[in-house]
Amino acid sequence: MLLIKQNGTGLAEIGQNYIITMFSRVSLTLLLFSFLLISSCAPRATSTASKSRMVTQSGKASYYANKFQGRKTANGEIYSHNKLTAAHRTLPFGTQVKVTNLKNGKTVTVRINDRGPFVKGRVIDLSRSAARKIDMIRDGVVNVEIAYPRPR
């Protein structure tokens, strides 16, 4: 309801309810326009959503020497060459990583529990049993592709 009162100076005063209603409509319109503008710039979802959740990295893999058996890893666990574990420079501890030997196509899934490797060009250090699963013991260092969920 619009209330207009005549005051002593000859100027009309508009009722407070009308001002608040107009302010709300303008604010709502601006908010809606902003939302539409921002949402139109957002990336579109694709049907390959499962692929976009995985990150891949290529490089060389090596495996732990026997002298590390029984030593502590960076996360505090005791290293065992019988477990399917690995070292990566930056991935969170506990991350599951699929490692593919590019020479023969064999794969293994390992859990990150240590930091490294600290040799240029290497992306992952594998436990001895993980290295055995992808048949890289004889070669020592092989070209691999690693795949892991995108960190959040």
Side-chain angles (χ1 to χ4, degrees), residues 29-104:
T29 303
L30 287 174
L31 183 66
L32 182 60
F33 177 77
S34 299
F35 175 78
L36 290 173
L37 181 64
I38 291 170
S39 65
S40 68
C41 297
R44 302 282 185 244
T46 63
S47 61
T48 58
S50 62
K51 286 186 180 182
S52 67
R53 287 187 219 138
M54 296 297 282
V55 176
T56 60
Q57 192 177 3
S58 295
K60 296 192 180 295
S62 53
Y63 65 93
Y64 285 87
N66 287 334
K67 70 179 183 179
F68 293 103
Q69 176 66 21
R71 293 188 186 179
K72 274 191 177 183
T73 62
N75 77 346
E77 288 180 34
I78 303 299
Y79 169 72
S80 170
H81 61 250
N82 296 318
K83 294 183 179 178
L84 298 177
T85 59
H88 189 274
R89 284 186 214 110
T90 60
L91 286 176
F93 294 134
T95 302
Q96 297 287 317
V97 178
K98 180 179 175 184
V99 182
T100 303
N101 182 338
L102 296 178
K103 181 178 178 181
N104 59 24

Coordinates of all heavy atoms in Angstrom, one line a residue, residues 29-104:
T29 N 16.3 -8.5 -8.0 CA 16.5 -8.4 -9.4 C 18.0 -8.5 -9.7 O 18.5 -9.2 -10.5 CB 15.9 -7.2 -10.1 OG1 14.5 -7.2 -9.8 CG2 16.2 -7.2 -11.6
L30 N 18.8 -7.7 -8.9 CA 20.3 -7.6 -9.1 C 20.9 -9.0 -8.7 O 21.8 -9.5 -9.4 CB 20.9 -6.5 -8.3 CG 20.6 -5.1 -8.8 CD1 21.2 -4.1 -7.8 CD2 21.3 -4.9 -10.1
L31 N 20.4 -9.6 -7.6 CA 20.9 -10.9 -7.2 C 20.6 -11.9 -8.3 O 21.5 -12.7 -8.6 CB 20.2 -11.3 -5.9 CG 20.7 -12.6 -5.3 CD1 22.2 -12.4 -4.8 CD2 19.8 -12.9 -4.1
L32 N 19.4 -12.0 -8.8 CA 19.1 -12.9 -9.9 C 20.0 -12.7 -11.1 O 20.5 -13.7 -11.7 CB 17.6 -12.8 -10.2 CG 17.1 -13.8 -11.2 CD1 17.3 -15.2 -10.7 CD2 15.6 -13.6 -11.5
F33 N 20.1 -11.5 -11.5 CA 20.9 -11.2 -12.7 C 22.4 -11.6 -12.5 O 23.0 -12.2 -13.3 CB 20.9 -9.7 -13.0 CG 21.8 -9.3 -14.1 CD1 21.4 -9.5 -15.4 CD2 23.0 -8.7 -13.9 CE1 22.2 -9.2 -16.5 CE2 23.8 -8.3 -15.0 CZ 23.4 -8.6 -16.3
S34 N 22.9 -11.4 -11.3 CA 24.3 -11.8 -10.9 C 24.4 -13.3 -11.0 O 25.4 -13.8 -11.5 CB 24.7 -11.3 -9.5 OG 24.6 -9.9 -9.5
F35 N 23.5 -14.0 -10.4 CA 23.5 -15.5 -10.5 C 23.5 -16.0 -11.9 O 24.3 -16.9 -12.2 CB 22.3 -16.0 -9.7 CG 22.2 -17.5 -9.8 CD1 23.0 -18.3 -9.0 CD2 21.3 -18.1 -10.6 CE1 23.0 -19.7 -9.1 CE2 21.2 -19.5 -10.7 CZ 22.0 -20.3 -10.0
L36 N 22.6 -15.4 -12.7 CA 22.6 -15.9 -14.1 C 23.9 -15.6 -14.9 O 24.3 -16.4 -15.6 CB 21.4 -15.2 -14.8 CG 20.0 -15.7 -14.4 CD1 18.9 -14.9 -15.0 CD2 19.8 -17.2 -14.7
L37 N 24.4 -14.4 -14.6 CA 25.7 -14.1 -15.3 C 26.8 -15.0 -14.8 O 27.5 -15.5 -15.7 CB 26.0 -12.6 -14.9 CG 27.3 -12.1 -15.5 CD1 27.1 -12.0 -17.0 CD2 27.6 -10.7 -15.0
I38 N 26.9 -15.3 -13.6 CA 28.0 -16.2 -13.1 C 27.8 -17.6 -13.5 O 28.7 -18.2 -14.0 CB 28.1 -16.1 -11.5 CG1 28.6 -14.7 -11.1 CG2 29.0 -17.2 -11.0 CD1 28.5 -14.4 -9.6
S39 N 26.6 -18.1 -13.5 CA 26.3 -19.5 -13.9 C 26.5 -19.7 -15.4 O 26.9 -20.8 -15.8 CB 24.9 -19.9 -13.5 OG 24.0 -19.2 -14.2
S40 N 26.4 -18.7 -16.2 CA 26.6 -18.8 -17.6 C 28.1 -18.9 -17.9 O 28.5 -19.4 -19.0 CB 26.0 -17.6 -18.4 OG 26.7 -16.5 -18.1
C41 N 28.9 -18.5 -17.0 CA 30.4 -18.6 -17.2 C 31.0 -19.9 -16.6 O 32.1 -20.2 -16.9 CB 31.1 -17.4 -16.5 SG 30.6 -15.8 -17.2
A42 N 30.2 -20.7 -15.9 CA 30.7 -21.9 -15.3 C 30.9 -23.0 -16.3 O 30.2 -23.0 -17.3 CB 29.7 -22.4 -14.2
P43 N 31.9 -23.8 -16.1 CA 32.2 -24.9 -17.0 C 31.1 -25.9 -17.1 O 30.4 -26.1 -16.0 CB 33.5 -25.5 -16.5 CG 33.6 -25.1 -15.1 CD 32.9 -23.8 -15.0
R44 N 30.8 -26.5 -18.2 CA 29.7 -27.4 -18.4 C 30.2 -28.8 -18.0 O 31.3 -29.2 -18.3 CB 29.3 -27.4 -19.8 CG 28.8 -26.1 -20.3 CD 27.4 -25.8 -19.8 NE 26.9 -24.5 -20.3 CZ 26.6 -23.5 -19.6 NH1 26.8 -23.5 -18.3 NH2 26.2 -22.4 -20.2
A45 N 29.3 -29.6 -17.4 CA 29.6 -31.0 -17.1 C 29.6 -31.8 -18.4 O 28.8 -31.5 -19.3 CB 28.6 -31.5 -16.1
T46 N 30.5 -32.8 -18.5 CA 30.5 -33.6 -19.6 C 30.3 -35.0 -19.3 O 30.3 -35.4 -18.1 CB 31.9 -33.5 -20.3 OG1 32.9 -34.0 -19.4 CG2 32.3 -32.1 -20.7
S47 N 30.1 -35.8 -20.3 CA 29.8 -37.2 -20.0 C 31.0 -38.0 -19.6 O 30.9 -39.1 -19.2 CB 29.2 -37.9 -21.3 OG 30.1 -37.8 -22.3
T48 N 32.2 -37.4 -19.7 CA 33.4 -38.1 -19.3 C 33.8 -37.6 -17.9 O 35.0 -37.5 -17.5 CB 34.6 -37.8 -20.2 OG1 34.7 -36.3 -20.3 CG2 34.3 -38.3 -21.6
A49 N 32.8 -37.5 -17.0 CA 33.0 -37.0 -15.6 C 34.0 -37.9 -14.9 O 34.8 -37.4 -14.1 CB 31.7 -36.8 -14.9
S50 N 33.9 -39.2 -15.1 CA 34.7 -40.1 -14.3 C 36.2 -39.9 -14.7 O 37.1 -40.1 -13.9 CB 34.3 -41.6 -14.5 OG 34.4 -41.9 -15.9
K51 N 36.5 -39.6 -16.0 CA 37.9 -39.4 -16.4 C 38.4 -38.1 -15.8 O 39.6 -38.0 -15.5 CB 38.0 -39.3 -17.9 CG 37.8 -40.7 -18.6 CD 38.1 -40.6 -20.1 CE 38.0 -41.9 -20.7 NZ 38.2 -41.9 -22.1
S52 N 37.6 -37.1 -15.7 CA 38.0 -35.8 -15.2 C 38.4 -35.9 -13.7 O 39.0 -35.0 -13.2 CB 37.0 -34.7 -15.5 OG 35.8 -34.9 -14.7
R53 N 37.9 -36.9 -13.0 CA 38.2 -37.0 -11.6 C 39.5 -37.6 -11.4 O 40.0 -37.6 -10.3 CB 37.1 -37.9 -10.9 CG 35.8 -37.1 -10.7 CD 34.9 -37.9 -9.9 NE 33.6 -37.7 -10.5 CZ 32.7 -38.7 -10.7 NH1 32.9 -39.9 -10.2 NH2 31.5 -38.5 -11.2
M54 N 40.1 -38.2 -12.4 CA 41.4 -38.8 -12.3 C 42.5 -38.0 -12.9 O 42.3 -37.3 -13.9 CB 41.4 -40.2 -13.0 CG 40.5 -41.2 -12.4 SD 40.9 -41.7 -10.8 CE 42.2 -42.8 -11.0
V55 N 43.7 -38.0 -12.3 CA 44.8 -37.2 -12.8 C 45.9 -38.3 -13.2 O 46.0 -39.3 -12.6 CB 45.4 -36.4 -11.7 CG1 46.7 -35.7 -12.1 CG2 44.4 -35.4 -11.2
T56 N 46.5 -38.0 -14.4 CA 47.6 -38.9 -14.8 C 48.9 -38.2 -14.9 O 48.9 -36.9 -15.1 CB 47.2 -39.5 -16.2 OG1 47.1 -38.5 -17.1 CG2 46.0 -40.4 -16.1
Q57 N 49.9 -38.9 -14.7 CA 51.3 -38.3 -14.7 C 52.2 -39.4 -15.3 O 52.1 -40.6 -15.0 CB 51.7 -38.0 -13.2 CG 52.9 -37.2 -13.0 CD 53.1 -36.9 -11.6 OE1 52.4 -37.3 -10.7 NE2 54.1 -36.1 -11.3
S58 N 53.1 -39.0 -16.1 CA 54.0 -39.9 -16.7 C 55.5 -39.6 -16.3 O 55.8 -38.4 -16.0 CB 53.9 -39.9 -18.3 OG 52.7 -40.3 -18.7
G59 N 56.3 -40.6 -16.3 CA 57.7 -40.4 -15.9 C 58.3 -41.8 -15.6 O 57.8 -42.8 -16.0
K60 N 59.3 -41.8 -14.8 CA 60.1 -43.0 -14.5 C 59.7 -43.5 -13.1 O 59.5 -42.6 -12.2 CB 61.6 -42.8 -14.7 CG 61.9 -42.5 -16.1 CD 63.4 -42.6 -16.3 CE 63.8 -42.3 -17.8 NZ 63.3 -43.2 -18.7
A61 N 59.7 -44.8 -13.0 CA 59.5 -45.4 -11.6 C 60.7 -46.2 -11.3 O 61.4 -46.8 -12.1 CB 58.3 -46.3 -11.6
S62 N 61.0 -46.2 -10.0 CA 62.1 -47.0 -9.5 C 61.5 -47.8 -8.3 O 60.3 -47.6 -8.0 CB 63.3 -46.2 -9.0 OG 62.9 -45.1 -8.2
Y63 N 62.3 -48.6 -7.7 CA 61.8 -49.3 -6.5 C 62.8 -49.3 -5.4 O 64.0 -49.0 -5.6 CB 61.3 -50.7 -6.8 CG 62.4 -51.7 -7.2 CD1 63.1 -52.5 -6.3 CD2 62.7 -51.8 -8.6 CE1 64.0 -53.4 -6.7 CE2 63.7 -52.7 -9.0 CZ 64.4 -53.5 -8.0 OH 65.3 -54.4 -8.5
Y64 N 62.3 -49.4 -4.1 CA 63.2 -49.3 -3.0 C 64.2 -50.4 -2.9 O 64.0 -51.6 -3.2 CB 62.3 -49.5 -1.7 CG 61.5 -48.4 -1.3 CD1 60.2 -48.2 -1.8 CD2 61.9 -47.5 -0.4 CE1 59.4 -47.2 -1.4 CE2 61.1 -46.4 0.1 CZ 59.8 -46.3 -0.5 OH 59.0 -45.3 -0.1
A65 N 65.4 -50.0 -2.5 CA 66.5 -51.0 -2.3 C 66.2 -51.8 -1.0 O 65.5 -51.4 -0.2 CB 67.8 -50.3 -2.1
N66 N 66.8 -53.0 -0.9 CA 66.6 -53.9 0.2 C 67.0 -53.2 1.5 O 66.4 -53.5 2.6 CB 67.4 -55.2 0.0 CG 66.8 -56.1 -1.0 OD1 65.6 -56.0 -1.2 ND2 67.6 -56.9 -1.6
K67 N 67.9 -52.3 1.5 CA 68.4 -51.7 2.8 C 67.3 -50.9 3.5 O 67.4 -50.6 4.7 CB 69.6 -50.7 2.5 CG 69.3 -49.5 1.8 CD 70.5 -48.6 1.6 CE 70.2 -47.3 0.9 NZ 71.4 -46.5 0.7
F68 N 66.2 -50.5 2.8 CA 65.1 -49.8 3.5 C 64.1 -50.7 4.2 O 63.3 -50.2 5.0 CB 64.3 -49.0 2.4 CG 65.2 -47.8 1.9 CD1 65.8 -47.9 0.6 CD2 65.5 -46.7 2.6 CE1 66.5 -46.9 0.1 CE2 66.2 -45.7 2.1 CZ 66.8 -45.8 0.8
Q69 N 64.2 -52.0 4.0 CA 63.4 -52.9 4.8 C 63.4 -52.7 6.3 O 64.5 -52.7 6.8 CB 63.7 -54.4 4.4 CG 63.0 -55.4 5.2 CD 61.5 -55.5 4.8 OE1 61.1 -55.0 3.7 NE2 60.7 -56.1 5.7
G70 N 62.3 -52.5 6.9 CA 62.2 -52.3 8.3 C 62.4 -50.9 8.8 O 62.3 -50.6 10.0
R71 N 62.7 -49.9 7.9 CA 62.9 -48.5 8.3 C 61.6 -47.8 8.3 O 60.6 -48.2 7.6 CB 63.9 -47.8 7.4 CG 65.3 -48.3 7.5 CD 66.2 -47.4 6.6 NE 67.5 -47.9 6.6 CZ 68.5 -47.3 5.9 NH1 68.3 -46.2 5.2 NH2 69.7 -47.9 5.9
K72 N 61.5 -46.7 9.0 CA 60.3 -45.9 9.0 C 60.1 -45.1 7.7 O 61.1 -44.6 7.2 CB 60.3 -44.9 10.2 CG 59.8 -45.5 11.5 CD 59.6 -44.3 12.5 CE 59.0 -44.9 13.8 NZ 58.7 -43.9 14.8
T73 N 58.9 -45.0 7.3 CA 58.6 -44.2 6.1 C 58.1 -42.8 6.6 O 58.0 -42.6 7.8 CB 57.4 -44.8 5.3 OG1 56.3 -44.9 6.1 CG2 57.8 -46.2 4.8
A74 N 57.9 -41.9 5.7 CA 57.6 -40.5 6.1 C 56.3 -40.4 6.9 O 56.1 -39.5 7.7 CB 57.5 -39.6 4.9
N75 N 55.4 -41.4 6.7 CA 54.1 -41.3 7.5 C 54.2 -42.1 8.8 O 53.2 -42.2 9.5 CB 52.9 -41.8 6.7 CG 52.8 -43.3 6.5 OD1 53.8 -44.0 6.8 ND2 51.7 -43.7 6.1
G76 N 55.4 -42.6 9.1 CA 55.6 -43.3 10.4 C 55.5 -44.8 10.4 O 55.8 -45.5 11.3
E77 N 55.0 -45.4 9.2 CA 54.9 -46.8 9.1 C 56.3 -47.4 8.9 O 57.2 -46.7 8.5 CB 54.1 -47.2 7.8 CG 52.6 -46.9 7.9 CD 52.0 -47.3 6.5 OE1 52.4 -48.3 5.9 OE2 51.0 -46.7 6.2
I78 N 56.4 -48.7 9.2 CA 57.6 -49.4 9.0 C 57.5 -50.0 7.5 O 56.5 -50.6 7.2 CB 57.8 -50.6 10.0 CG1 57.8 -50.0 11.4 CG2 59.1 -51.4 9.7 CD1 58.9 -49.1 11.7
Y79 N 58.5 -49.7 6.7 CA 58.5 -50.1 5.3 C 58.7 -51.6 5.3 O 59.5 -52.2 5.9 CB 59.7 -49.5 4.5 CG 59.9 -50.1 3.2 CD1 58.9 -49.9 2.2 CD2 60.9 -51.0 2.9 CE1 59.1 -50.5 0.9 CE2 61.1 -51.6 1.7 CZ 60.1 -51.4 0.7 OH 60.3 -52.0 -0.5
S80 N 57.8 -52.3 4.4 CA 57.9 -53.7 4.2 C 57.9 -53.9 2.7 O 57.0 -53.4 2.0 CB 56.7 -54.4 4.8 OG 56.7 -55.8 4.3
H81 N 58.9 -54.6 2.1 CA 58.9 -54.8 0.7 C 57.8 -55.8 0.2 O 57.6 -55.9 -0.9 CB 60.3 -55.3 0.2 CG 60.7 -56.6 0.8 ND1 61.8 -56.7 1.7 CD2 60.3 -57.9 0.6 CE1 61.9 -57.9 2.1 NE2 61.1 -58.7 1.4
N82 N 57.1 -56.4 1.2 CA 56.0 -57.3 0.9 C 54.6 -56.5 0.6 O 53.7 -57.1 0.2 CB 55.8 -58.3 1.9 CG 57.0 -59.2 2.0 OD1 57.5 -59.6 1.0 ND2 57.4 -59.5 3.2
K83 N 54.5 -55.3 1.0 CA 53.3 -54.5 0.9 C 53.3 -53.7 -0.4 O 54.4 -53.4 -1.0 CB 53.1 -53.5 2.1 CG 52.9 -54.2 3.4 CD 52.7 -53.2 4.5 CE 52.4 -53.9 5.8 NZ 52.3 -53.0 6.9
L84 N 52.1 -53.4 -0.9 CA 52.0 -52.7 -2.2 C 51.9 -51.2 -1.8 O 50.8 -50.6 -1.7 CB 50.7 -53.1 -2.9 CG 50.8 -54.6 -3.4 CD1 49.5 -54.9 -4.1 CD2 51.9 -54.8 -4.3
T85 N 53.1 -50.6 -1.5 CA 53.1 -49.2 -1.1 C 54.1 -48.4 -2.1 O 54.8 -49.1 -2.9 CB 53.6 -49.1 0.3 OG1 54.9 -49.7 0.4 CG2 52.6 -49.7 1.3
A86 N 54.1 -47.1 -1.9 CA 55.0 -46.3 -2.8 C 55.3 -45.0 -2.2 O 54.6 -44.5 -1.2 CB 54.3 -46.1 -4.2
A87 N 56.2 -44.3 -2.7 CA 56.6 -42.9 -2.3 C 56.3 -42.0 -3.5 O 56.5 -42.3 -4.6 CB 58.1 -42.8 -2.0
H88 N 55.7 -40.8 -3.1 CA 55.4 -39.8 -4.1 C 55.7 -38.5 -3.4 O 55.6 -38.3 -2.2 CB 53.9 -39.8 -4.5 CG 53.6 -38.9 -5.7 ND1 53.3 -37.6 -5.5 CD2 53.6 -39.1 -7.0 CE1 53.1 -37.0 -6.7 NE2 53.3 -37.9 -7.6
R89 N 56.2 -37.5 -4.2 CA 56.6 -36.2 -3.6 C 55.5 -35.4 -2.9 O 55.7 -34.8 -1.9 CB 57.3 -35.3 -4.6 CG 58.7 -35.8 -5.0 CD 59.4 -34.8 -5.9 NE 60.2 -35.5 -6.8 CZ 60.0 -35.7 -8.1 NH1 59.0 -35.2 -8.7 NH2 60.9 -36.4 -8.8
T90 N 54.3 -35.4 -3.5 CA 53.3 -34.5 -3.0 C 51.9 -35.1 -2.7 O 51.2 -34.5 -2.0 CB 53.1 -33.4 -4.1 OG1 52.6 -34.0 -5.3 CG2 54.3 -32.6 -4.3
L91 N 51.6 -36.3 -3.2 CA 50.3 -36.8 -2.9 C 50.1 -37.1 -1.5 O 51.0 -37.5 -0.8 CB 50.1 -38.1 -3.7 CG 49.9 -38.0 -5.2 CD1 49.8 -39.3 -5.9 CD2 48.6 -37.2 -5.5
P92 N 48.9 -36.9 -1.0 CA 48.6 -37.2 0.4 C 48.8 -38.7 0.8 O 48.5 -39.6 -0.1 CB 47.1 -36.9 0.5 CG 46.8 -36.0 -0.6 CD 47.7 -36.4 -1.7
F93 N 49.3 -38.9 2.0 CA 49.4 -40.3 2.4 C 48.1 -41.0 2.4 O 47.0 -40.4 2.7 CB 50.0 -40.3 3.9 CG 51.4 -39.8 4.0 CD1 51.7 -38.9 5.0 CD2 52.4 -40.2 3.1 CE1 52.9 -38.4 5.2 CE2 53.6 -39.6 3.2 CZ 53.9 -38.8 4.3
G94 N 48.1 -42.2 2.0 CA 46.9 -43.0 1.8 C 46.3 -43.0 0.4 O 45.4 -43.8 0.2
T95 N 46.7 -42.1 -0.4 CA 46.2 -42.1 -1.8 C 46.5 -43.4 -2.5 O 47.6 -43.9 -2.5 CB 46.8 -40.9 -2.6 OG1 46.6 -39.7 -1.9 CG2 46.3 -40.8 -4.0
Q96 N 45.4 -43.9 -3.2 CA 45.6 -45.1 -4.0 C 46.0 -44.7 -5.4 O 45.3 -43.8 -6.0 CB 44.3 -45.9 -4.0 CG 43.8 -46.4 -2.7 CD 44.6 -47.6 -2.2 OE1 45.0 -48.5 -3.0 NE2 45.0 -47.6 -0.9
V97 N 47.1 -45.2 -5.9 CA 47.6 -44.8 -7.2 C 47.7 -46.1 -8.1 O 48.3 -47.1 -7.7 CB 49.0 -44.2 -7.0 CG1 49.6 -43.8 -8.4 CG2 48.9 -42.9 -6.2
K98 N 47.2 -46.0 -9.3 CA 47.4 -47.1 -10.3 C 48.6 -46.8 -11.1 O 48.7 -45.7 -11.7 CB 46.1 -47.1 -11.2 CG 46.2 -48.2 -12.2 CD 44.9 -48.3 -13.0 CE 45.0 -49.3 -14.2 NZ 43.9 -49.2 -15.0
V99 N 49.5 -47.7 -11.1 CA 50.8 -47.6 -11.8 C 50.8 -48.6 -13.0 O 50.6 -49.8 -12.8 CB 52.0 -47.9 -10.9 CG1 53.3 -47.7 -11.6 CG2 51.9 -47.0 -9.6
T100 N 51.1 -48.0 -14.2 CA 51.1 -48.9 -15.4 C 52.5 -48.8 -16.0 O 53.1 -47.7 -16.3 CB 50.1 -48.3 -16.5 OG1 48.8 -48.3 -15.9 CG2 50.1 -49.2 -17.7
N101 N 53.1 -50.0 -16.1 CA 54.4 -50.1 -16.8 C 54.2 -50.0 -18.3 O 53.5 -50.8 -18.9 CB 55.0 -51.5 -16.5 CG 56.4 -51.7 -17.1 OD1 56.8 -51.0 -18.1 ND2 57.2 -52.6 -16.5
L102 N 54.7 -48.9 -18.9 CA 54.4 -48.6 -20.3 C 55.1 -49.6 -21.2 O 54.7 -49.7 -22.4 CB 54.8 -47.2 -20.6 CG 54.0 -46.1 -19.9 CD1 54.4 -44.7 -20.2 CD2 52.5 -46.3 -20.2
K103 N 56.1 -50.3 -20.8 CA 56.8 -51.3 -21.6 C 56.0 -52.5 -21.8 O 56.0 -53.1 -22.9 CB 58.1 -51.7 -20.9 CG 59.0 -52.6 -21.7 CD 60.3 -52.9 -20.9 CE 61.1 -53.9 -21.6 NZ 62.4 -54.2 -20.8
N104 N 55.2 -53.0 -20.8 CA 54.5 -54.2 -21.0 C 53.0 -54.1 -20.7 O 52.2 -55.1 -20.8 CB 55.1 -55.3 -20.1 CG 55.1 -54.9 -18.6 OD1 54.3 -54.1 -18.2 ND2 56.0 -55.5 -17.9

